[in-house]
Amino acid sequence: MTAFSLGALLYEGKAKRIYATDQDDLVAVEFKDDATAFNALKKAHLAGKGELNCRISALLFEHLIRCGIPTHYLGVVDATWMAVRPVRVIPVEVVVRNVAAGSLCKQLPIAAGTVLEPPLLDLYYKDDALGDPLLTEARLERLGLLTPEQRQRLGDLALQVNGALRSLFARVGLELVDFKIELGFSAEGAIVVADEISPDTCRLWDLQVNDPQDRILDKDRFRQDLGGVVEAYGEVFKRVQGVCPEAGVYR
Ligand code: TMP
């Protein structure tokens, strides 16, 4: 690492570590090879996952920036490290669903694979101890995390991200079934996309494959014990890399 020196470990999550640096306006993100599911009830070490998620996230953040969507991303540093702007993360997991899958089908009588048009926006309160509960608008208002304008902006940005990513993935034969993003406030007070965007946080189906298990190219392979997790992430990287400029190295 040349452009900055690492400082204190600020936060360790299930799949990443966040470090301060010698620059106030820069933090470093290390992508780990750890995988968890079901609120960390299921855990594994998947060699190579951290590098793939770092590289995929970098390409996707750069694509969002080209689409005019603000993010915390600055550049890649090396295989598993990314440079980002410090943000105050909003403790809301923002999920956009284009096709019914996962928890939606467990909680509501909607068959897996049902196309959701318009896409469904679900907000969850980010708190592992509480199991990331689904928020209602009234509960979100009660928590006082966002003004009505900020809540509107959060939803608008999530749907813009959906549009940008959905068309990018479609170009490489992948269906963006759903995804989760986290957003935060930049030093200037703007809401920006933060965290990561990778097969850990998206459901991606191979449009050329009909088999409902074989088409899965995301963390559901790990959740459902289907095997080939890192291989699937590698396939996503290869396809996205084929249509994106090389990720910029932070200097
Ligand atoms: P869900 O169907 O389990 O609610 O997941 C919706 C999307 O959000 C899916 O693409 C996976 C992603 N997700 C995360 O990134 N982190 C999580 O903790 C959960 C529960 C889902």
Side-chain angles (χ1 to χ4, degrees), residues 93 95 97 101-104 124 132 178-180 200-203 223:
E93 299 202 340
V95 171
R97 302 177 190 273
S103 68
L104 181 70
Y124 298 84
D132 298 340
D178 58 28
F179 66 89
K180 182 266 302 182
D200 267 9
T201 62
C202 299
R203 284 196 173 91
R223 296 188 187 97

PDB file of all heavy atoms in Angstrom, residues 93 95 97 101-104 124 132 178-180 200-203 223, ligand 1:
ATOM      1  N   GLU A  93     -30.919  -1.415   5.923  1.00  0.00           N
ATOM      2  CA  GLU A  93     -30.564  -2.237   4.771  1.00  0.00           C
ATOM      3  C   GLU A  93     -31.659  -2.027   3.727  1.00  0.00           C
ATOM      4  O   GLU A  93     -32.846  -2.252   3.992  1.00  0.00           O
ATOM      5  CB  GLU A  93     -30.467  -3.712   5.178  1.00  0.00           C
ATOM      6  CG  GLU A  93     -29.385  -3.921   6.231  1.00  0.00           C
ATOM      7  CD  GLU A  93     -28.862  -5.341   6.307  1.00  0.00           C
ATOM      8  OE1 GLU A  93     -29.554  -6.264   5.844  1.00  0.00           O
ATOM      9  OE2 GLU A  93     -27.743  -5.503   6.838  1.00  0.00           O
ATOM     10  N   VAL A  95     -33.315  -2.985   0.353  1.00  0.00           N
ATOM     11  CA  VAL A  95     -33.412  -4.122  -0.568  1.00  0.00           C
ATOM     12  C   VAL A  95     -34.353  -3.748  -1.715  1.00  0.00           C
ATOM     13  O   VAL A  95     -35.446  -3.224  -1.485  1.00  0.00           O
ATOM     14  CB  VAL A  95     -33.918  -5.380   0.175  1.00  0.00           C
ATOM     15  CG1 VAL A  95     -34.234  -6.516  -0.802  1.00  0.00           C
ATOM     16  CG2 VAL A  95     -32.882  -5.843   1.197  1.00  0.00           C
ATOM     17  N   ARG A  97     -36.206  -5.573  -4.997  1.00  0.00           N
ATOM     18  CA  ARG A  97     -36.528  -6.907  -5.528  1.00  0.00           C
ATOM     19  C   ARG A  97     -37.198  -6.763  -6.894  1.00  0.00           C
ATOM     20  O   ARG A  97     -38.236  -6.110  -7.019  1.00  0.00           O
ATOM     21  CB  ARG A  97     -37.488  -7.627  -4.577  1.00  0.00           C
ATOM     22  CG  ARG A  97     -36.950  -7.794  -3.162  1.00  0.00           C
ATOM     23  CD  ARG A  97     -37.990  -8.448  -2.258  1.00  0.00           C
ATOM     24  NE  ARG A  97     -37.576  -8.394  -0.848  1.00  0.00           N
ATOM     25  CZ  ARG A  97     -36.810  -9.296  -0.256  1.00  0.00           C
ATOM     26  NH1 ARG A  97     -36.376 -10.341  -0.931  1.00  0.00           N
ATOM     27  NH2 ARG A  97     -36.475  -9.169   1.025  1.00  0.00           N
ATOM     28  N   ALA A 101     -37.983 -13.902  -4.443  1.00  0.00           N
ATOM     29  CA  ALA A 101     -37.059 -14.945  -3.991  1.00  0.00           C
ATOM     30  C   ALA A 101     -36.823 -14.714  -2.499  1.00  0.00           C
ATOM     31  O   ALA A 101     -37.261 -13.700  -1.943  1.00  0.00           O
ATOM     32  CB  ALA A 101     -35.733 -14.868  -4.752  1.00  0.00           C
ATOM     33  N   GLY A 102     -36.144 -15.656  -1.869  1.00  0.00           N
ATOM     34  CA  GLY A 102     -35.659 -15.456  -0.503  1.00  0.00           C
ATOM     35  C   GLY A 102     -36.750 -15.187   0.506  1.00  0.00           C
ATOM     36  O   GLY A 102     -37.817 -15.807   0.479  1.00  0.00           O
ATOM     37  N   SER A 103     -36.501 -14.212   1.388  1.00  0.00           N
ATOM     38  CA  SER A 103     -37.397 -13.991   2.528  1.00  0.00           C
ATOM     39  C   SER A 103     -38.793 -13.562   2.084  1.00  0.00           C
ATOM     40  O   SER A 103     -39.784 -13.842   2.761  1.00  0.00           O
ATOM     41  CB  SER A 103     -36.799 -12.951   3.479  1.00  0.00           C
ATOM     42  OG  SER A 103     -36.773 -11.674   2.882  1.00  0.00           O
ATOM     43  N   LEU A 104     -38.881 -12.892   0.935  1.00  0.00           N
ATOM     44  CA  LEU A 104     -40.200 -12.434   0.461  1.00  0.00           C
ATOM     45  C   LEU A 104     -41.150 -13.624   0.302  1.00  0.00           C
ATOM     46  O   LEU A 104     -42.326 -13.558   0.702  1.00  0.00           O
ATOM     47  CB  LEU A 104     -40.044 -11.704  -0.878  1.00  0.00           C
ATOM     48  CG  LEU A 104     -41.343 -11.149  -1.466  1.00  0.00           C
ATOM     49  CD1 LEU A 104     -41.845  -9.971  -0.636  1.00  0.00           C
ATOM     50  CD2 LEU A 104     -41.148 -10.716  -2.919  1.00  0.00           C
ATOM     51  N   TYR A 124     -34.996  -2.546   5.948  1.00  0.00           N
ATOM     52  CA  TYR A 124     -34.814  -3.326   7.181  1.00  0.00           C
ATOM     53  C   TYR A 124     -33.938  -2.512   8.126  1.00  0.00           C
ATOM     54  O   TYR A 124     -32.977  -1.863   7.683  1.00  0.00           O
ATOM     55  CB  TYR A 124     -34.108  -4.662   6.884  1.00  0.00           C
ATOM     56  CG  TYR A 124     -34.900  -5.565   5.962  1.00  0.00           C
ATOM     57  CD1 TYR A 124     -34.829  -5.407   4.579  1.00  0.00           C
ATOM     58  CD2 TYR A 124     -35.733  -6.550   6.477  1.00  0.00           C
ATOM     59  CE1 TYR A 124     -35.560  -6.221   3.727  1.00  0.00           C
ATOM     60  CE2 TYR A 124     -36.467  -7.369   5.637  1.00  0.00           C
ATOM     61  CZ  TYR A 124     -36.382  -7.207   4.266  1.00  0.00           C
ATOM     62  OH  TYR A 124     -37.111  -8.007   3.433  1.00  0.00           O
ATOM     63  N   ASP A 132     -32.266  -7.830  12.116  1.00  0.00           N
ATOM     64  CA  ASP A 132     -32.560  -6.950  10.970  1.00  0.00           C
ATOM     65  C   ASP A 132     -34.051  -6.933  10.613  1.00  0.00           C
ATOM     66  O   ASP A 132     -34.457  -7.369   9.527  1.00  0.00           O
ATOM     67  CB  ASP A 132     -31.757  -7.377   9.720  1.00  0.00           C
ATOM     68  CG  ASP A 132     -30.246  -7.276   9.913  1.00  0.00           C
ATOM     69  OD1 ASP A 132     -29.804  -6.545  10.811  1.00  0.00           O
ATOM     70  OD2 ASP A 132     -29.521  -7.944   9.150  1.00  0.00           O
ATOM     71  N   ASP A 178     -32.563  -9.598  -6.978  1.00  0.00           N
ATOM     72  CA  ASP A 178     -32.722  -8.618  -5.897  1.00  0.00           C
ATOM     73  C   ASP A 178     -31.339  -8.253  -5.382  1.00  0.00           C
ATOM     74  O   ASP A 178     -30.341  -8.871  -5.772  1.00  0.00           O
ATOM     75  CB  ASP A 178     -33.635  -9.135  -4.768  1.00  0.00           C
ATOM     76  CG  ASP A 178     -33.144 -10.429  -4.135  1.00  0.00           C
ATOM     77  OD1 ASP A 178     -31.923 -10.673  -4.142  1.00  0.00           O
ATOM     78  OD2 ASP A 178     -33.974 -11.199  -3.634  1.00  0.00           O
ATOM     79  N   PHE A 179     -31.273  -7.244  -4.556  1.00  0.00           N
ATOM     80  CA  PHE A 179     -29.987  -6.875  -3.942  1.00  0.00           C
ATOM     81  C   PHE A 179     -30.239  -6.036  -2.709  1.00  0.00           C
ATOM     82  O   PHE A 179     -31.336  -5.520  -2.507  1.00  0.00           O
ATOM     83  CB  PHE A 179     -29.095  -6.101  -4.939  1.00  0.00           C
ATOM     84  CG  PHE A 179     -29.640  -4.748  -5.332  1.00  0.00           C
ATOM     85  CD1 PHE A 179     -29.336  -3.617  -4.600  1.00  0.00           C
ATOM     86  CD2 PHE A 179     -30.471  -4.614  -6.432  1.00  0.00           C
ATOM     87  CE1 PHE A 179     -29.849  -2.372  -4.961  1.00  0.00           C
ATOM     88  CE2 PHE A 179     -30.990  -3.371  -6.794  1.00  0.00           C
ATOM     89  CZ  PHE A 179     -30.676  -2.263  -6.068  1.00  0.00           C
ATOM     90  N   LYS A 180     -29.179  -5.929  -1.900  1.00  0.00           N
ATOM     91  CA  LYS A 180     -29.214  -5.089  -0.695  1.00  0.00           C
ATOM     92  C   LYS A 180     -28.101  -4.064  -0.797  1.00  0.00           C
ATOM     93  O   LYS A 180     -26.970  -4.424  -1.142  1.00  0.00           O
ATOM     94  CB  LYS A 180     -29.002  -5.971   0.536  1.00  0.00           C
ATOM     95  CG  LYS A 180     -29.056  -5.265   1.871  1.00  0.00           C
ATOM     96  CD  LYS A 180     -27.750  -4.804   2.441  1.00  0.00           C
ATOM     97  CE  LYS A 180     -26.708  -5.841   2.662  1.00  0.00           C
ATOM     98  NZ  LYS A 180     -25.465  -5.286   3.287  1.00  0.00           N
ATOM     99  N   ASP A 200     -22.356 -11.496  -2.699  1.00  0.00           N
ATOM    100  CA  ASP A 200     -22.792 -11.667  -1.310  1.00  0.00           C
ATOM    101  C   ASP A 200     -24.081 -10.889  -1.055  1.00  0.00           C
ATOM    102  O   ASP A 200     -24.845 -11.238  -0.150  1.00  0.00           O
ATOM    103  CB  ASP A 200     -21.735 -11.104  -0.339  1.00  0.00           C
ATOM    104  CG  ASP A 200     -20.736 -12.155   0.129  1.00  0.00           C
ATOM    105  OD1 ASP A 200     -20.738 -13.274  -0.419  1.00  0.00           O
ATOM    106  OD2 ASP A 200     -19.947 -11.832   1.044  1.00  0.00           O
ATOM    107  N   THR A 201     -24.278  -9.812  -1.794  1.00  0.00           N
ATOM    108  CA  THR A 201     -25.372  -8.884  -1.483  1.00  0.00           C
ATOM    109  C   THR A 201     -26.402  -8.763  -2.616  1.00  0.00           C
ATOM    110  O   THR A 201     -27.319  -7.940  -2.521  1.00  0.00           O
ATOM    111  CB  THR A 201     -24.816  -7.478  -1.156  1.00  0.00           C
ATOM    112  OG1 THR A 201     -24.138  -6.971  -2.315  1.00  0.00           O
ATOM    113  CG2 THR A 201     -23.855  -7.497   0.018  1.00  0.00           C
ATOM    114  N   CYS A 202     -26.209  -9.540  -3.676  1.00  0.00           N
ATOM    115  CA  CYS A 202     -27.158  -9.542  -4.801  1.00  0.00           C
ATOM    116  C   CYS A 202     -27.594 -10.988  -5.057  1.00  0.00           C
ATOM    117  O   CYS A 202     -26.802 -11.905  -4.846  1.00  0.00           O
ATOM    118  CB  CYS A 202     -26.492  -9.094  -6.097  1.00  0.00           C
ATOM    119  SG  CYS A 202     -25.801  -7.434  -6.115  1.00  0.00           S
ATOM    120  N   ARG A 203     -28.794 -11.189  -5.571  1.00  0.00           N
ATOM    121  CA  ARG A 203     -29.127 -12.484  -6.184  1.00  0.00           C
ATOM    122  C   ARG A 203     -28.988 -12.323  -7.693  1.00  0.00           C
ATOM    123  O   ARG A 203     -29.560 -11.398  -8.276  1.00  0.00           O
ATOM    124  CB  ARG A 203     -30.553 -12.931  -5.842  1.00  0.00           C
ATOM    125  CG  ARG A 203     -30.699 -13.457  -4.447  1.00  0.00           C
ATOM    126  CD  ARG A 203     -32.006 -14.248  -4.235  1.00  0.00           C
ATOM    127  NE  ARG A 203     -31.981 -14.857  -2.912  1.00  0.00           N
ATOM    128  CZ  ARG A 203     -32.464 -14.275  -1.812  1.00  0.00           C
ATOM    129  NH1 ARG A 203     -33.047 -13.084  -1.893  1.00  0.00           N
ATOM    130  NH2 ARG A 203     -32.386 -14.879  -0.647  1.00  0.00           N
ATOM    131  N   ARG A 223     -25.869 -20.400   0.998  1.00  0.00           N
ATOM    132  CA  ARG A 223     -27.012 -20.564   1.906  1.00  0.00           C
ATOM    133  C   ARG A 223     -27.667 -21.925   1.722  1.00  0.00           C
ATOM    134  O   ARG A 223     -28.097 -22.560   2.668  1.00  0.00           O
ATOM    135  CB  ARG A 223     -28.072 -19.470   1.664  1.00  0.00           C
ATOM    136  CG  ARG A 223     -27.605 -18.045   1.957  1.00  0.00           C
ATOM    137  CD  ARG A 223     -28.765 -17.045   1.883  1.00  0.00           C
ATOM    138  NE  ARG A 223     -28.304 -15.667   1.990  1.00  0.00           N
ATOM    139  CZ  ARG A 223     -28.085 -14.872   0.944  1.00  0.00           C
ATOM    140  NH1 ARG A 223     -28.313 -15.303  -0.294  1.00  0.00           N
ATOM    141  NH2 ARG A 223     -27.651 -13.651   1.119  1.00  0.00           N
TER     142      ARG A 223
HETATM  143  P1  TMP B   1     -33.703 -11.706   1.543  1.00  0.00           P
HETATM  144  O1  TMP B   1     -34.509 -12.354   0.475  1.00  0.00           O
HETATM  145  O2  TMP B   1     -33.030 -12.703   2.467  1.00  0.00           O
HETATM  146  O3  TMP B   1     -34.469 -10.662   2.284  1.00  0.00           O
HETATM  147  O4  TMP B   1     -32.495 -10.956   0.803  1.00  0.00           O
HETATM  148  C1  TMP B   1     -32.741  -9.951  -0.144  1.00  0.00           C
HETATM  149  C2  TMP B   1     -31.419  -9.520  -0.762  1.00  0.00           C
HETATM  150  O5  TMP B   1     -30.580  -8.906   0.197  1.00  0.00           O
HETATM  151  C3  TMP B   1     -30.586 -10.655  -1.347  1.00  0.00           C
HETATM  152  O6  TMP B   1     -30.007 -10.205  -2.558  1.00  0.00           O
HETATM  153  C4  TMP B   1     -29.521 -10.917  -0.336  1.00  0.00           C
HETATM  154  C5  TMP B   1     -29.330  -9.575   0.332  1.00  0.00           C
HETATM  155  N1  TMP B   1     -29.024  -9.672   1.740  1.00  0.00           N
HETATM  156  C6  TMP B   1     -27.830  -9.167   2.213  1.00  0.00           C
HETATM  157  O7  TMP B   1     -27.013  -8.648   1.458  1.00  0.00           O
HETATM  158  N2  TMP B   1     -27.578  -9.250   3.552  1.00  0.00           N
HETATM  159  C7  TMP B   1     -28.448  -9.810   4.421  1.00  0.00           C
HETATM  160  O8  TMP B   1     -28.161  -9.849   5.624  1.00  0.00           O
HETATM  161  C8  TMP B   1     -29.686 -10.330   3.909  1.00  0.00           C
HETATM  162  C9  TMP B   1     -30.683 -10.956   4.834  1.00  0.00           C
HETATM  163  C10 TMP B   1     -29.917 -10.239   2.578  1.00  0.00           C
END
